[in-house]
Every structure is written in C-alpha cells, then in structure tokens.
C-alpha cells in the first residue's frame, strides 16, 4: 500500500474512533444528531443532496453520521481505487457545528451538512494542496480559493481532496489519466483491474478514469459530490467515464482565485455529482463576482431557488437541439488531408441514436444535421480541425506554426503568477524552478513520463511571444465562437448542441462556453493494442453533453435535467 494511503487509513481510523457513536459530542450535539442507531440505517450509497437533507430533517441522519459513513467507505475501498489525496481532519468537528446550527433552526441551504471533496489543485488551509506534484507534497497554502470559502459559507463540509492527473494534465503527453507522482495511478470503479497489456502494465487501470479531474470518489460514494476543474476536457471526460453529471461553466462564472492554473483563457472550476440537481446546487453556491478574478461577473447569477425554477421534468418540450454530425458523429477530412478525422464507433453511434430518440419522445425538435461551420470549412485558415493546441515536444518553438500557443503560453504566465501569490511559502519560485526540481528528483519518480508540456511552456517568452499568443487567442475565439458554436446555434435557431460523450470538449473550451454532461449508456471498452482474448473487459460509460453559448447554463440545466429524468441510467459501480 502506498505510504499516503496507509496514512489516510490511520487518520480515518482515528477520526472514526474519536467521533464514532456520538461519544465526543456535547449533549446538545448529541440531541442535534439524533439517535445514532437510526442514523446507521441511512445508506449514503447513491443518496442525493435532497435524500440527505430529508434524512437529517427527520432524524435518520446527521452531518456527523454522513461524515462517518463516507469515511468508512474511503477506509474500505480507497486502497484499491486511490481516489483520495488528503482527508480533512476537521470534517467531524465542522459537521458537529453544522448539526448544532440545524438544531437551532439555522439552515444555510441545500448544501448544509453535505460532505463534498475538492480536486487537489484547489487551495485550502486545512489540507495540503499538491496538484499531485512532488514539489508540492504536503504543501498547505496560506489562503483558500474563493469557491472554497463560498462552499463553506453554504454549509458544505470539505471532507477530502481528490486525486488528479498531475498539475491538471499539463506535464507530459504520455502520462496516463489519473496518474500523479504523489499517489500513482488511480482506478475507474467500473473496472478497477490493472491494464494487463505489455504496453501499459505500469499500474494504470484497464478502464480509463478520464481527464485530470477525478470522478472516482463520487462514483464510488466516498462523498456526495466533488468539485473539479477544466481547461480542456477535465470535467467532461472523467464525468463521462464514471457515470456522473458535470457542469463545465462559462469561463468567468466561477472565480479561479486560489486554483493552480494552466491558462486563464480556458480555466474554470465546475461541479461533478451523481445528479443534475446536486450539480446545480453546487454551481449556485460557488458562482459570483470576485475582485481577485477579473473574468468574473460575465454572467448573470442563476435564478434564486434554481432547482425549482430550472429543473423541470418537461424541460425538453419544444427545445431545438442540433446534431453537429461532421466530425463529432461522422468522420470528416479537413482541407488538404485525405485522412478523415473524428466520428463514432458503431456502438457509440447506436447509443447516440437512442439518445436522440429520447429527446424526440420528450418533445424536443431535432435539427439534424446542424454542422459547426468551422469543422467543415474548405478554407484551411478557417477550419477548426487544423488548429489544435500545441501540446508536445514536436510543437515547441519552431514546430508550432499550425497550432495554438494559448495553453503553453498561458501555463508559464499564469503558473508563475500563482506561485508569486504564495509569497515566501512557495515551494518553488517559478516554472523553471519546478522543472529543475523535477529533474533532480527523477529517481524518486517526479517525472516518470517526462515533462514535455512543462518544457514547451517554459521556453515561451512572455514579452516576445505575446503578439503570437494574442493572434492565436483571437483565432481560437473566431473558430470556436463566431464561426463555431454561435454560428451553428444562430443558423438553426437552436437552444443547444448535443455532443456525444465528451467529444466537443476542445471547441467548447476554446470558446469558454458552458456544457452539461449527463450519464446515459455504455459501450465496449475497446483498446489499441487489444486486450488479451481471455480478458473480459467491462463496458465504458458513455453519456451525452448539452453545449450552448456563453452564459446559457440555465437553459442547458433545464434540458439536462429533463433528459436525466427521462432516462435515469446512472448505476453505482459494483464494489466488493
């Protein structure tokens, strides 16, 4: 067992012994918690926020009993799944305080007493924030992220930090999803077995856990929900792969202050949960303007009582939903290329046909096809498929003429600014310092898969390359917005585009636009090179994503909730 997991086990055991059975509560706290035998009958597995609130209202649960139940599940299963980078030792104490508030009639809202987890690139002062990097092992920041403060004010209990792909997957292109140098490989709970192929038997799981955020702990019911971050797919992909709902917000709806960055042009935090209503409650609690993040204030806040206002069972009736077939559903060859790109497998295409049928049954108007103009443009300078992100050694200086420098430039600019915000507590002084640290700790596993992305970021010159970055950002916005998502929505008078699984993440993130992902089906887990003939791979979850223009979260949430209620296909993983 990795040393960090062993330490978690000791801490959890101590917390359960200290706070179990109400023995350490004051008499008022014990009365607020209710009868502990009754609380033991409440099962947190697959419980929604409303299920928990109802149980706390009628005495079948308390915030303290929820914390104990989740800690017990972490203790039982996390050695296999490796979903947890830190446990909050203050969680039981915070839960007791919230139970006393409830007993006194003070309720903060739908998050009151709900245990949630944070991706370990979101700063807190009661747990380390490591980003999964050895240079930040055991590092506790001098301040908390704005969204953490807001969650606490809303009554949420921050119970743990989730694992992540190291530094939100901007280290090395060959690094598997869910790997970091501190914890190693995490696993997908829907098939947590190790990958048996000779190419890949390095500890990774046979079923990809998805992007740099982790959905493993939420899917496995280690906590009620979690907050991740996305720059390019890191909410949508893990949510899809672990049967979760994710809301990738418009950039600027949530403050990024206190979050380890990649690039401010695309970074955002966002909720991951089992249900649309829970994700909506998290989003509403976290949103708002923040003078420490100048991008905030771009969107009006969600309506008061967002759940009652937006989440309607009939929300699909009359909605116009477009099917962007070229590239996202069917392969297309960009200009100058004979090789087609994109498209779906036969199983994925069949799943999407079923999803479209559900939309039609629920009263939606399907516009098919509704191509995104920049994916089919015959002009190479206006074709989104020919202008991806610069992301590997071959796209360093001298090899980056046909890719966007926004992410690699932004990483150097914004990471260095974030380090300076830590003052004298910063473990390294700059991106250059981090790269040097990593090279000096190669024997300890600091850069098992290299650090190509850090290298191509650090070679950027913030002054000399600013004009190139600005031109690339303008092109990204033009191809993703004016000639991209907005063009498709306006041309066909659409409420949203329906994307298969996470396949629209690149254009959605370059635009900075919102998306809501919802579980739906499963497809075969087909790998290349193939798995051994006698290895019976379990299926890969495969959901759908509703995407729209900037600040269209209210409309997308209405559509996603109605689809979720019509299908209700999420299932818990079968853990031993």
């Amino acid at each position: 067992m990795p040393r960090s997991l062993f330490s978690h086990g000791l801490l959890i055991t101590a917390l359960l012994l200290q706070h179990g059975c109400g023995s350490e509560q004051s008499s008022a706290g014990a009365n607020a918690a209710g009868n502990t035998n009754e609380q033991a009958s409440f099962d947190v597995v697959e419980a929604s926020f409303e299920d928990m609130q109802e149980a706390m209202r009628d005495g079948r649960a308390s915030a303290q009993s929820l914390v104990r139940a989740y800690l017990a599940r972490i203790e039982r299963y996390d050695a296999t799944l490796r979903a947890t980078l830190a446990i909050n030792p203050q969680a039981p104490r915070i839960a007791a305080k919230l139970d006393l508030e409830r007993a006194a009639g003070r309720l903060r809202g739908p998050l009151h007493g709900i245990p949630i987890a944070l991706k370990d690139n979101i700063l807190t002062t009661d747990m380390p924030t490591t980003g999964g990097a050895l240079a930040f092992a055991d590092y506790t920041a001098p301040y908390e992220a704005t969204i953490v403060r807001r969650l606490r004010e809303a009554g949420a209990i921050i119970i743990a930090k989730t694992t992540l792909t190291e530094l939100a997957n901007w280290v090395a292109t060959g690094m598997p999803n869910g790997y970091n140098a501190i914890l190693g490989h995490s696993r997908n709970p829907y098939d947590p077995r190790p990958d048996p192929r000779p190419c890949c038997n390095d500890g990774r799981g046979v079923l990809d856990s998805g992007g740099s955020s982790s959905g493993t702990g939420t899917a496995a019911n280690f906590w009620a929900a979690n907050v991740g971050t996305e720059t390019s797919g890191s909410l949508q992909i893990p949510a899809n792969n672990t049967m979760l709902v994710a809301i990738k917000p418009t950039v600027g709806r949530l403050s990024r202050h206190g979050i380890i960055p990649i690039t401010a042009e695309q970074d955002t935090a966002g909720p991951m949960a089992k249900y649309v209503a829970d994700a909506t409650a998290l989003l509403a609690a976290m949103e708002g303007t923040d003078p420490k993040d100048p991008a905030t204030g771009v969107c009006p806040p969600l309506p008061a009582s967002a759940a009652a206002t937006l989440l309607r069972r009939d929300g699909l009736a009359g909605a116009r939903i477009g099917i962007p077939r070229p590239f996202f559903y069917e392969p297309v060859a960009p200009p100058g290329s004979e090789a087609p790109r994109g498209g779906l497998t036969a199983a994925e295409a069949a799943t999407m046909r079923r999803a479209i049928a559900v939309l039609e049954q629920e009263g939606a108007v399907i516009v098919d096809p509704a191509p995104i103009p920049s994916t089919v443009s015959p002009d190479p300078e206006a074709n989104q498929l020919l202008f991806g992100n610069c992301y590997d050694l071959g796209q360093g200086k001298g090899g980056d003429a046909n890719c966007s420098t926004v992410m690699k430039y932004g990483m150097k600019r914004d990471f260095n600014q974030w380090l300076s915000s830590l003052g004298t507590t910063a473990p390294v002084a700059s991106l250059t310092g981090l790269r040097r640290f990593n090279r000096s700790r190669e024997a300890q596993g600091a850069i098992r898969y290299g650090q190509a992305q850090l290298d191509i970021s650090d070679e950027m010159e913030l002054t000399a390359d600013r004009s190139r970055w600005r031109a690339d950002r303008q092109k990204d916005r033009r191809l993703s917005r004016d000639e991209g998502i907005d063009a498709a929505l306006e041309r066909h008078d659409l409420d949203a585009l329906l994307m298969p699984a996470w396949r629209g993440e690149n254009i959605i993130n370059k635009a900075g636009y919102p998306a809501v992902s919802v579980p739906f089906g499963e497809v075969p887990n087909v790998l290349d090179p193939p798995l051994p003939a006698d290895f019976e791979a379990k299926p890969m979850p495969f959901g759908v994503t509703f995407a729209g223009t900037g600040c269209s979260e209210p409309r997308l949430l209405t559509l996603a909730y109605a689809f979720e209620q019509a299908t209700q296909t999420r299932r818990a993983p079968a853990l031993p």
Side-chain angles (χ1 to χ4, degrees):
M1 179 183 293
R3 182 177 179 183
S4 58
L5 292 178
F6 178 70
S7 300
H8 292 344
L10 291 177
L11 174 58
I12 292 170
T13 300
L15 290 174
L16 289 172
L17 287 173
Q18 180 181 1
H19 297 275
C21 300
S23 60
E24 299 297 320
Q25 301 171 20
S26 67
S27 58
N31 291 334
N35 184 284
T36 54
N37 291 329
E38 291 179 353
Q39 291 165 21
S41 68
F42 180 76
D43 189 356
V44 297
V45 174
E46 297 298 280
S48 68
F49 289 6
E50 179 53 35
D51 292 335
M52 295 180 205
Q53 294 297 349
E54 182 179 346
M56 287 188 280
R57 282 195 297 269
D58 63 22
R60 290 180 294 117
S62 66
Q64 294 168 83
S65 71
L66 295 178
V67 166
R68 288 195 296 270
Y70 283 127
L71 289 175
R73 288 188 63 81
I74 296 170
E75 184 178 44
R76 180 174 181 181
Y77 296 115
D78 205 31
T80 298
L81 298 179
R82 300 185 183 183
T84 311
L85 267 170
I87 299 293
N88 188 355
Q90 300 300 318
R93 180 188 61 79
I94 296 168
K97 178 177 180 293
L98 290 166
D99 283 336
L100 288 171
E101 289 184 11
R102 182 181 294 273
R106 182 190 170 198
L107 294 178
R108 303 189 187 195
L111 298 186
H112 190 110
I114 304 296
I116 68 165
L118 305 174
K119 185 175 180 178
D120 197 32
N121 62 347
I122 301 172
L123 303 190
T124 56
T125 55
D126 52 8
M127 286 178 284
T129 302
T130 71
L134 283 187
F136 295 93
D138 300 320
Y139 175 71
T140 300
Y143 66 92
E144 289 196 321
T146 299
I147 60 171
V148 174
R149 173 177 56 80
R150 288 178 173 158
L151 288 168
R152 294 191 198 279
E153 290 172 352
I157 301 167
I158 312 299
I159 193 173
K161 289 290 193 76
T162 74
T163 195
L164 73 168
T165 317
E166 188 168 332
L167 292 180
N169 210 4
W170 193 261
V171 176
T173 52
M175 188 164 63
N177 287 325
Y179 172 83
N180 62 69
I182 292 180
L183 191 60
H185 296 275
S186 64
R187 302 283 178 79
N188 189 319
Y190 289 93
D191 194 347
R193 294 173 295 173
D195 193 324
R197 297 173 297 163
C199 69
C200 308
N201 59 353
D202 56 0
R204 73 186 71 182
V206 70
L207 188 63
D208 187 2
S209 60
S212 75
S213 301
S214 175
T216 294
T218 300
N221 293 281
F222 288 180
W223 35 76
N226 68 287
V227 180
T229 66
E230 176 156 318
T231 307
S232 189
S234 292
L235 288 163
Q236 297 172 67
I237 301 174
N240 176 83
N241 291 13
T242 53
M243 277 198 180
L244 296 178
V245 172
I247 303 173
K248 185 269 166 189
T250 303
V251 171
R253 182 175 284 277
L254 304 186
S255 172
R256 284 87 52 85
H257 175 66
I259 301 175
I260 303 175
I262 294 180
T263 183
E265 285 70 40
Q266 295 182 200
D267 288 348
T268 182
M272 301 172 68
K274 292 182 284 291
Y275 311 107
V276 173
D278 294 354
T280 301
L282 277 173
L283 182 68
M286 292 188 289
E287 70 173 349
T289 58
D290 180 4
K292 295 179 180 177
D293 182 352
T296 57
V298 66
C299 297
L302 296 179
S305 303
T309 306
L310 301 176
L311 307 185
R312 306 193 314 272
R313 177 63 181 81
D314 64 351
L316 283 165
R320 292 179 59 83
I321 298 176
I323 309 301
R325 289 219 170 260
F327 181 72
F328 302 102
Y329 287 73
E330 298 171 355
V332 60
S337 174
E338 295 182 359
R341 302 184 187 182
L344 301 175
T345 67
E348 292 167 346
T351 301
M352 293 310 298
R353 284 194 295 271
R354 293 196 300 273
I356 293 169
V358 170
L359 297 177
E360 290 179 317
Q361 291 165 8
E362 294 299 310
V365 176
I366 302 301
V367 180
D368 185 6
I372 294 177
S374 61
T375 63
V376 295
S377 174
D379 179 1
E381 286 300 308
N383 194 292
Q384 167 73 21
L385 304 182
L386 297 177
F387 196 62
N389 295 311
C390 306
Y391 68 94
D392 207 349
L393 283 178
Q395 294 168 317
K397 285 199 170 184
D400 58 1
N402 297 312
C403 58
S404 174
T405 61
V406 165
M407 289 181 69
K408 67 173 183 173
Y409 180 93
M411 177 61 175
K412 183 169 185 176
R413 177 197 62 200
D414 298 332
F415 188 74
N416 284 346
Q417 288 179 357
W418 171 72
L419 285 172
S420 68
S421 78
L422 304 177
T424 58
T425 72
V428 295
S430 64
L431 181 57
T432 302
L434 174 63
R435 292 171 56 240
R436 289 173 178 164
F437 176 94
N438 286 342
R439 287 197 297 269
S440 73
R441 301 298 195 282
E442 282 193 67
Q444 288 76 44
I447 43 175
R448 182 178 180 183
Y449 299 96
Q451 54 179 350
Q453 291 171 323
L454 299 181
D455 290 340
I456 66 170
S457 289
D458 205 23
E459 71 177 1
M460 299 300 287
E461 299 176 42
L462 297 184
T463 300
D465 293 326
R466 185 178 295 128
S467 60
R468 169 64 195 277
W469 158 78
R470 184 177 294 111
D472 288 353
R473 177 58 181 154
Q474 290 173 348
K475 185 173 181 179
D476 276 347
R477 287 169 64 104
R478 173 171 61 86
L479 297 184
S480 63
R481 292 184 177 187
D482 301 343
E483 300 169 17
I485 292 171
D486 287 335
L489 295 173
E490 292 168 7
R491 184 169 299 177
H492 300 286
D493 189 25
L494 302 174
D495 292 284
L497 296 167
L498 183 72
M499 295 289 188
W502 48 266
R503 303 304 170 84
E505 63 82 14
N506 186 270
I507 194 168
I508 291 167
N509 279 284
K510 286 188 173 187
Y513 283 173
V516 182
S517 301
V518 185
F520 178 60
E522 294 176 310
V523 297
N525 182 23
V526 179
L527 301 177
D528 184 20
L531 290 162
D534 61 347
F535 190 95
E536 296 182 2
K538 296 180 181 179
M540 167 73 77
F542 192 86
V544 302
T545 296
F546 296 89
T549 191
C551 302
S552 64
E553 286 94 333
R555 187 66 176 130
L556 299 181
L557 289 168
T558 298
L559 302 177
Y561 178 79
F563 181 84
E564 173 195 58
Q565 295 303 301
T567 55
Q568 299 191 40
T569 51
R570 175 179 159 78
R571 62 176 178 83
L575 299 176

